[in-house]
Amino acid sequence: MTKLRKGSFIKRAKDITLSSALTLAILSGTSMISSCSSNDDESDYSYEETTYTKGIRSHIKEVKPGEFKITDEENVAADKSLAIVTYLDGHTDSLSTTAAKALIDKDIQNNQTYVGHHSGLSSMLLYGGIGYMLGRNNNNGYMNTYRDQNNSRGSVYSSPGVFNKSQNAVSAVNASRSTRTVTSRPSGGRSGFFGRSAGRSGG
């Protein structure tokens, strides 16, 4: 039988002890992970999905160089929401909600203290029906903050009649709202224009 020195025996015993402890720790950790996975409740991923069947089409006209007014707003299918802009030289542009959001964000970023205090195109988009629709998206709640600060949103419209028609269009949008609770794990983000939203409403 091979003789072992006392120190060598103690060292090997420590190695065995450490190895056993490490193995137990790994097995224990694996068990905990499996337990967490098995107890993962899909209800933890529940969220409220809000959709609209109606949207807004806004007609905006340049009345002076760099100054605009909303001349009409009407209901359209939700995915057809846009702004049609007519310029002084007669040409027109159609702005999607994505393009409208980009113009509003640019104004907020570059002229934050001046937002809403001018008659530029971004103000028409923010305070008109398009801004209202964008504010329905949970990620765009910051727009409602600016909208709420403006107590004279009617000034962006060319006449009181146009403003009243716009309010009726907005009411129709609200009436088309439907909400359901989704309990499956979401595959992507929870927000999108007329998609999953739980933001507060603002007129």
Side-chain angles (χ1 to χ4, degrees):
M1 181 177 69
T2 303
K3 293 183 178 181
L4 296 174
R5 289 182 300 169
K6 183 178 180 180
S8 177
F9 175 78
I10 293 174
K11 182 178 180 181
R12 291 182 62 183
K14 286 183 176 180
D15 290 343
I16 293 172
T17 303
L18 288 172
S19 178
S20 300
L22 181 60
T23 301
L24 287 173
I26 292 174
L27 291 175
S28 177
T30 302
S31 176
M32 289 177 65
I33 292 173
S34 299
S35 176
C36 288
S37 297
S38 62
N39 292 331
D40 194 9
D41 191 347
E42 285 298 327
S43 64
D44 291 341
Y45 300 97
S46 297
Y47 58 93
E48 188 178 80
E49 182 178 72
T50 301
T51 57
Y52 298 82
T53 59
K54 290 185 178 182
I56 296 286
R57 179 163 57 199
S58 182
H59 296 265
I60 303 173
K61 184 176 181 179
E62 187 177 24
V63 294
K64 294 180 181 179
E67 294 185 16
F68 297 80
K69 288 287 184 181
I70 298 174
T71 58
D72 191 22
E73 284 188 331
E74 57 193 337
N75 288 121
V76 292
D79 59 353
K80 301 296 183 182
S81 294
L82 80 165
I84 300 175
V85 185
T86 302
Y87 294 88
L88 285 175
D89 62 7
H91 85 278
T92 61
D93 281 339
S94 294
L95 301 179
S96 66
T97 52
T98 301
K101 179 182 182 299
L103 285 176
I104 294 171
D105 285 343
K106 182 179 179 181
D107 196 32
I108 291 175
Q109 181 179 358
N110 297 331
N111 306 290
Q112 191 166 17
T113 59
Y114 193 53
V115 174
H117 299 286
H118 60 80
S119 299
L121 180 57
S122 63
S123 287
M124 304 301 111
L125 296 170
L126 176 61
Y127 294 118
I130 293 296
Y132 171 82
M133 292 311 308
L134 287 171
R136 301 313 91 205
N137 184 302
N138 194 39
N139 289 338
N140 299 334
Y142 60 91
M143 292 187 184
N144 292 329
T145 300
Y146 289 97
R147 286 175 55 85
D148 291 345
Q149 291 173 354
N150 187 346
N151 296 322
S152 58
R153 287 197 295 271
S155 63
V156 302
Y157 293 89
S158 60
S159 70
V162 173
F163 174 72
N164 290 334
K165 183 179 179 180
S166 171
Q167 297 309 293
N168 291 333
V170 166
S171 295
V173 170
N174 282 331
S176 75
R177 178 179 183 269
S178 62
T179 304
R180 69 188 183 102
T181 299
V182 180
T183 56
S184 61
R185 183 193 296 269
S187 59
R190 295 185 180 181
S191 62
F193 190 65
F194 292 118
R196 308 176 187 96
S197 170
R200 66 187 180 86
S201 296

